[in-house]
Amino acid sequence: MQFPDDDNGKMLEAMADAGIDLSVALDVDFFLVFDDQRDAESALEEIGKSDLEGEVELLLNDDSGKWELIVCLNMVPEYDAVVEQELSLHEFAQEFGGVTDGWGVMQHQEGDDDFADDAHECGDGCKH
């Protein structure tokens, strides 16, 4: 599979090389960064009112001292769709004094057997 020679293309290529199926919907996390807590909270409130279908989380990054708004969208990680969503979120973040700071996916996704739940306890019917 061919990927554009930019950060998004390199990320998608690394995901494909890691064995992630890029043809199915995955939870893609987009990171929006704000210097000011009030700006971040205003952005969180506004995104909550929007028609964006996804989950959002706001947290303080202890290392950078900046506020991160993580927007998790379930989508097929196709290059053009990722670029379009990242651009849209960047424009949104700028309205509140923020910027986007990349995106990514957790390697463990629904149906991924490589990261089985360690809390599983075997019972009589278990096939382990």
Side-chain angles (χ1 to χ4, degrees):
M1 190 178 279
Q2 291 280 1
F3 298 98
D5 187 21
D6 63 11
D7 290 340
N8 290 321
K10 290 174 185 174
M11 174 69 92
L12 290 167
E13 183 173 19
M15 290 168 57
D17 290 348
I20 296 173
D21 185 352
L22 302 180
S23 67
V24 299
L26 301 171
D27 289 335
V28 180
D29 294 330
F30 293 88
F31 301 93
L32 287 63
V33 179
F34 302 86
D35 290 324
D36 183 78
Q37 179 180 359
R38 283 178 289 189
D39 291 340
E41 289 172 345
S42 294
L44 174 64
E45 183 178 333
E46 192 64 30
I47 209 164
K49 295 177 189 175
S50 75
D51 61 353
L52 189 69
E53 293 185 24
E55 296 181 25
V56 292
E57 178 182 11
L58 180 62
L59 54 90
L60 176 63
N61 182 315
D62 291 330
D63 294 332
S64 69
K66 296 182 185 259
W67 290 88
E68 292 180 343
L69 179 59
I70 303 169
V71 179
C72 180
L73 303 174
N74 189 265
M75 61 185 286
V76 176
E78 189 271 325
Y79 178 83
D80 289 336
V82 168
V83 169
E84 181 181 330
Q85 192 61 61
E86 189 173 37
L87 179 60
S88 175
L89 287 170
H90 182 71
E91 290 171 355
F92 170 80
Q94 284 184 317
E95 293 176 28
F96 300 91
V99 295
T100 52
D101 190 28
W103 60 273
V105 298
M106 296 295 292
Q107 283 232 314
H108 176 70
Q109 296 281 332
E110 186 175 330
D112 187 351
D113 293 332
D114 292 340
F115 297 91
D117 186 357
D118 292 334
H120 172 76
E121 293 189 25
C122 295
D124 292 338
C126 189
K127 304 287 186 214
H128 279 122

